[in-house]
């Protein structure tokens, strides 16, 4: 094959990523003026983006041109805000089957590595006969020419979600592969007592800059959630090297959370996968180290929806500046643009499969989404936003930050006392439909939520749930999986107190996960204590629901909501004694 020249010429080689001093790592950046995630580009296909040594961003696409397929790219020199025209990077070999999926790595010498999958002409065959082989190509001579494409693994893998270069120079490509395992042929020994699904995970590694590749001897398995799913087991792993030399892997599972594994020898051998702290739908994570050394995680912190064992309605981000020991944020950074519509009858949908890359100015750019092109998003995120510890809502910008799809009776109404001001109204105009509003805020093991609300005379009950994950507003089991639950009955009774119907009142909940309780205040007076219902990493979601079983046209109003996980709260009187 004749190699084509890249559109960008030779530029200086990569320097190793800065590790940073301990004082730098622990210092919080200024974030008073930080803005939330914002859409910066709309591509007609989903790219994987990589950072070149001079700060240029390269968005790589797999394109069909006539009867042939090729890797193409667009470039941005302003940190992802604007993009140039497409250029061909490398044609793909013809006559070998269809190509699909990709990953990109720019190594420390500045050379580009592309990875993609080839079906070897097996599309449409029974699953045991199908293939999605892994192929690799790279540049040489300062990105002036391409080496020929070559197959580095044969079998069936579903997707490539991560590739990194270790400080040693080793290249690591994690992936999962089809095993042909079934419930009736689970295996011997301990495997006969459980079901590990049809996929296992491992890694390919190269110690000669991608010239040759070796398969790790480690086989990573995760128990499946049921015996019928064709994608069950350990799926679509991502990896990141930690400062202590370990390599950390996060694995997509059907268990309601990501699983994790560690390697202490540069990715050769791996520990047995164990549940991580991160609740998750059956969706892959995105894991990236910023240029200053901090770590960003992107994942679907979603549960209890049939598609993908929890759904992919929203994507979340968290940040760690201590090598994954603690995490901040757990914030919604992308939402399905078609959230208000019922899911399509077939095909993938939602916002998942995040591919993040750092930008030269200290932010991250990531692509996410699947299915219809309108769902394919390219988002710029300032990590400083994940340091925020408070969030307030007065509904002046509408309900854009709230989820209430699949419900009726959740809307904005005119404030009964303040002309031109709007308030959240929740009622039950149709007994067959739920009425729930869901709101995300920064995570905290300790924190305070304050609502100013009015119970309209005739209202028939409400529930306030505080929890650590997203589930759809019409989730019938949300209160069973919440961390704290507060109920107010149709008469306005809250524990031994009664709210005054038709009057604005302040309801404040102060939670303390380590103490396993939450104190509830009504207009400044402590009225009850809520028990911790289950262990959690912290609280980051509010769910407000009508509990009326029948028609409730009255409902209740919410003037404002504020969450604060950064302040210190006084101890109760009984604790001071």
């Amino acid at each position: 094959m004749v190699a084509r020249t890249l559109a960008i010429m030779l530029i200086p080689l990569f320097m190793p990523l800065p590790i940073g001093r301990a004082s730098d790592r622990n210092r919080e950046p200024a974030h008073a003026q930080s803005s939330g995630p914002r859409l910066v580009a709309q591509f007609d296909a989903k790219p994987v983006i990589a950072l070149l040594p001079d700060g240029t961003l390269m968005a790589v696409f797999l394109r069909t041109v006539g009867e042939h397929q090729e890797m193409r790219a667009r470039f941005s020199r302003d940190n992802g805000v604007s993009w140039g025209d497409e250029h061909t990077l490398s044609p793909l070999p013809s006559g070998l089957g269809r190509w699909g999926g990709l990953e990109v790595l720019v190594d420390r010498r500045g050379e580009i590595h592309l990875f993609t999958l080839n079906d070897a002409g097996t599309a449409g065959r029974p699953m045991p006969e199908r293939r999605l082989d892994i192929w690799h190509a790279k540049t040489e001579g300062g990105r002036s020419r391409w080496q020929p494409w070559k197959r580095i693994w044969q079998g069936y893998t579903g997707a490539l979600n991560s590739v990194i270069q270790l400080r040693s120079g080793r290249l690591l490509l994690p992936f999962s592969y089809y095993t042909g395992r079934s419930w009736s042929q689970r295996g011997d020994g301990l495997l006969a007592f459980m079901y590990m699904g049809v996929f296992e995970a491992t890694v390919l590694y190269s110690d000669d800059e991608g010239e040759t590749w070796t398969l790790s001897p480690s086989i990573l398995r995760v128990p499946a959630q049921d015996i019928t799913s064709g994608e069950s087991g350990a799926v679509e792993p991502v990896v990141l090297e930690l400062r202590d030399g370990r390599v950390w892997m996060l694995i997509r599972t059907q268990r309601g959370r990501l699983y994790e594994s560690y390697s202490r020898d540069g990715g050769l051998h791996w520990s047995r996968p164990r549940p991580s702290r991160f609740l998750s739908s059956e969706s892959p994570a995105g894991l990236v180290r910023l240029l200053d050394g901090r770590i960003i995680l992107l994942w679907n912190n979603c549960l209890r929806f049939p598609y993908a064992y929890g759904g992919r309605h929203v994507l979340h981000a968290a940040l760690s500046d201590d090598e994954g020991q603690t995490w901040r944020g757990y914030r919604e950074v992308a939402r399905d643009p078609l959230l208000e519509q019922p899911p399509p009858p077939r095909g993938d949908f939602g916002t998942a499969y995040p591919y993040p890359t750092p930008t030269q100015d200290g932010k991250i750019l990531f692509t996410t989404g699947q299915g219809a092109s309108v769902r394919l998003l390219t988002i710029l995120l300032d990590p400083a936003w994940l340091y925020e510890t408070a969030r307030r809502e007065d509904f002046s910008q509408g309900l854009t930050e709230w989820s209430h799809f699949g419900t009726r009776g959740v809307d904005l109404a005119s404030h009964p006392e303040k002309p031109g001001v709007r308030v959240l109204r929740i009622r039950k105009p149709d007994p067959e439909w739920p009425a729930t509003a869901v709101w995300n805020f920064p995570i905290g093991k300790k924190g305070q939520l304050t609502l100013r609300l009015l119970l309209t005379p005739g209202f028939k009950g409400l529930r306030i749930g505080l929890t650590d994950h997203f589930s759809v507003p019409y989730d019938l089991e949300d209160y069973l999986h919440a961390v704290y639950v507060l109920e107010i009955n149709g008469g306005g009774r809250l524990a031994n107190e009664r709210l005054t119907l038709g009057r604005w009142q302040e309801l404040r909940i102060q939670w303390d996960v380590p103490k396993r309780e939450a104190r509830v205040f009504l207009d400044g007076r402590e009225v009850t204590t809520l028990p911790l219902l289950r262990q959690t990493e912290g609280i980051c979601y509010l769910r407000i629901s009508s509990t009326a079983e029948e028609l409730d046209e009255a409902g209740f109003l919410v003037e404002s909501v504020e969450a604060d996980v950064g302040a210190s709260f006084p101890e109760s009187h009984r604790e001071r004694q």
Side-chain angles (χ1 to χ4, degrees), residues 5-72:
T5 303
L6 283 175
I8 289 188
M9 302 305 292
L10 176 63
I11 44 184
L13 303 183
F14 262 142
M15 298 297 290
L17 291 182
I19 297 300
R21 297 170 299 177
S23 58
D24 293 332
R25 297 197 304 270
N26 296 329
R27 186 178 66 246
E28 295 183 9
H31 55 265
Q33 302 300 319
S34 63
S35 59
R38 62 189 180 98
L39 187 68
V40 293
Q42 189 72 51
F43 297 117
D44 62 353
K46 185 177 176 179
V48 176
I49 299 173
L51 179 67
L52 295 173
D54 70 343
T56 297
L57 291 168
M58 176 180 66
V60 182
F61 305 82
L62 195 156
R63 293 292 197 192
T64 298
V65 182
E67 297 181 356
H68 305 284
Q69 290 180 275
E70 60 185 36
M71 292 291 186
R72 309 197 79 191

Side-chain angles (χ1 to χ4, degrees), residues 443-478:
I443 195 168
K445 287 186 177 294
K446 299 180 181 180
Q448 174 175 276
L449 182 88
T450 304
L451 301 95
R452 184 166 170 78
L453 55 79
L454 181 148
L455 308 183
T456 305
F459 110 109
K460 297 180 181 178
L462 70 88
R463 177 188 302 122
I464 295 172
L466 296 179
T467 190
D468 53 7
H469 64 276
F470 176 88
S471 65
V472 292
Y474 45 90
D475 178 13
L476 296 178
E477 298 183 357
D478 59 345

Side-chain angles (χ1 to χ4, degrees), residues 147-297:
Q147 289 187 358
W149 283 89
K150 59 186 176 183
R151 187 177 62 204
I152 61 174
W153 181 83
Q154 179 176 314
Y156 185 95
T157 181
L160 301 176
N161 301 82
S162 176
V163 59
I164 63 171
Q165 184 171 32
L166 305 182
R167 290 194 292 272
S168 67
R170 173 174 288 177
L171 307 182
L172 283 186
L173 179 71
F175 68 103
S176 55
Y177 58 92
Y178 177 76
T179 66
R181 184 184 294 112
S182 65
W183 174 252
S184 61
Q185 295 179 323
R186 297 186 296 276
D188 300 323
L190 180 60
L191 293 180
F193 287 85
M194 58 183 68
Y195 181 49
M196 290 296 187
V198 299
F199 276 85
E200 297 171 342
T202 189
V203 303
L204 284 164
Y205 64 91
S206 174
D207 289 323
D208 54 12
E209 300 172 343
E211 294 293 333
T212 60
W213 294 82
T214 303
L215 191 66
S216 163
S218 291
I219 298 174
L220 305 179
R221 302 184 180 100
V222 171
Q225 189 69 4
D226 61 48
I227 66 176
T228 60
S229 173
E231 296 185 351
S232 60
V235 188
E236 297 171 345
V238 298
V239 292
L240 182 135
E241 184 178 20
L242 300 174
R243 287 196 178 95
D244 63 8
R246 293 178 301 158
V247 184
W248 179 36
M249 178 186 290
L250 286 174
I251 305 170
R252 165 185 164 181
T253 80
Q254 305 81 49
R255 306 295 299 178
R257 66 178 64 236
L258 298 169
Y259 270 51
E260 62 187 357
S261 176
Y262 292 90
S263 173
R264 297 182 177 274
D265 58 6
L268 184 61
H269 299 93
W270 293 84
S271 65
R272 184 174 302 164
R274 291 287 186 260
S276 77
R277 71 179 74 194
F278 300 106
L279 301 175
S280 179
S281 62
E282 188 197 13
S283 307
L287 197 56
V288 68
R289 189 180 290 279
L290 299 172
L291 297 184
D292 64 9
R294 293 175 293 164
I295 300 171
I296 296 282
L297 171 67

Side-chain angles (χ1 to χ4, degrees), residues 388-407:
E388 293 183 357
T389 58
R391 190 178 189 195
R392 178 178 170 79
E393 175 67 86
D394 61 8
F395 307 104
S396 59
Q397 302 301 313
L399 292 175
T400 57
E401 302 299 322
W402 293 72
S403 292
H404 57 93
F405 59 94
T407 71

Side-chain angles (χ1 to χ4, degrees), residues 55-128:
T56 297
L57 291 168
M58 176 180 66
V60 182
F61 305 82
L62 195 156
R63 293 292 197 192
T64 298
V65 182
E67 297 181 356
H68 305 284
Q69 290 180 275
E70 60 185 36
M71 292 291 186
R72 309 197 79 191
R74 295 174 65 181
F75 299 92
S76 172
R77 293 175 176 83
D78 57 8
N79 298 305
V81 176
S82 62
W83 295 83
D85 296 333
E86 279 192 17
H87 297 271
T88 297
L89 288 182
S90 175
L92 289 158
S94 299
L96 299 177
R98 296 296 295 176
W99 304 87
L102 66 103
E103 251 295 1
V104 183
L105 172 71
V106 181
D107 68 25
R108 61 188 182 185
R109 299 176 303 118
E111 302 293 354
I112 299 170
H113 298 254
L114 298 180
F115 304 84
T116 191
L117 308 178
N118 179 268
D119 71 4
T122 63
R125 294 184 186 178
M127 191 63 190

